[in-house]
Amino acid sequence: MRSALSTSATWLRKEASAALIAGLVITGAWVIAAALAPLLTPYDPIAVNVVKATLAPSADHLLGTDSVGRDIFARVLYGARIDLLMAVAGVIGPFLLGTLVGLLAGYSGGWLDGILMRILEVTISFPYFVLVIAIVAIIGPGLTGYLVSLTVVNWVTYARLVRSETLVLTNADFILAARVLGYRRRRIMLRHILPNAIVSSSVFLMTDAVLTVVLGSSLGFLGLGVQPPTPEWGVMIAEGRTYLGSAWWISLCPGIALCSLAFGLSLIADGVAHILDPEA
């Protein structure tokens, strides 16, 4: 029985490592492509040339051109910069704010915990996507509005995760010992509780990065995200909707790019989850 369990655990670790490596390779390839975009293509991603509109993929234009003659390959490469930025910046703000709120609420308790949790409950009571769209509509379409809306809406998940872990750790023996030794409140929170409390939220952060990329592209598709002519994959997919029958590459190429990046991030999330929490 023990041998079977040991074999199963070893297999799971290998699977997690393989998923993590594959995810890092896919995501790393997009990072390199985005960084080296000026070297990989001679075309300006926003330069219009109507004479070359809707050209099929060829040696001159590897992925063809769009309805106004812009090179799709160049726009996909430069668009990777925007989507990678959304994946990273879109989770940093909610993670930091949610961690701070959850740590303060869980360790302090009392009236502070009550107020912060009521704010959390009010925020989470609204439909997620509807609230994001409402905030973007108030601030205005664009990358800034998108990142602000995510921070305002998405911090609640991180706050709940960190708070629940903090509540458990507050009564742990090593925390009680730290109090007896006279350690300051700030030191106990930041050096003893925080590193242990953010494990589960760190795992969720990787999964959330996938959702952030998809949400950002969805808003771009609806016209509420990054605005044209800035190359962004969701915007590019929307621009090619009316040409699916005659110039399918306009929407298909950025669509494949979006799926591959989301898949790479998903593999990283899966690998990290199994490494940090083998029982997941």
Side-chain angles (χ1 to χ4, degrees), residues 60-235:
D60 292 331
H61 299 279
L62 296 179
L63 301 181
T65 62
D66 64 9
S67 59
V68 292
R70 295 173 298 196
D71 184 75
I72 296 296
F73 182 63
R75 288 179 63 77
V76 167
L77 291 179
Y78 282 92
R81 296 181 174 184
I82 302 296
D83 285 78
L84 286 169
L85 177 61
M86 289 193 298
V88 176
V91 297
I92 289 179
F95 175 77
L96 294 178
L97 178 59
T99 298
L100 176 62
V101 172
L103 184 63
L104 288 174
Y107 188 77
S108 300
W111 63 269
L112 181 59
D113 182 32
I115 292 175
L116 293 175
M117 288 304 100
R118 296 300 80 74
I119 296 174
L120 185 150
E121 290 171 0
V122 170
T123 304
I124 207 171
S125 64
F126 291 93
Y128 177 83
F129 195 67
V130 173
L131 188 55
V132 169
I133 291 178
I135 296 174
V136 170
I138 294 172
I139 298 175
L143 186 59
T144 300
Y146 168 71
L147 295 178
V148 171
S149 67
L150 275 187
T151 302
V152 172
V153 175
N154 216 26
W155 65 272
V156 295
T157 304
Y158 297 99
R160 294 177 69 179
L161 289 171
V162 173
R163 177 180 178 271
S164 62
E165 294 289 341
T166 302
L167 288 173
V168 174
L169 292 168
T170 298
N171 297 317
D173 291 340
F174 71 97
I175 297 299
L176 297 177
R179 290 173 177 169
V180 171
L181 292 173
Y183 290 167
R184 293 182 178 181
R185 175 189 178 96
R186 188 193 316 177
R187 177 174 179 176
I188 294 175
M189 291 174 62
L190 297 181
R191 297 188 59 180
H192 300 281
I193 293 181
L194 182 60
N196 296 286
I198 63 172
V199 174
S200 57
S201 60
S202 298
V203 172
F204 177 76
L205 181 144
M206 297 306 305
T207 302
D208 197 29
V210 182
L211 302 177
T212 299
V213 170
V214 175
L215 177 60
S217 295
S218 299
L219 290 177
F221 183 86
L222 296 174
L224 296 173
V226 176
Q227 297 297 292
T230 302
E232 193 280 317
W233 293 340
V235 174

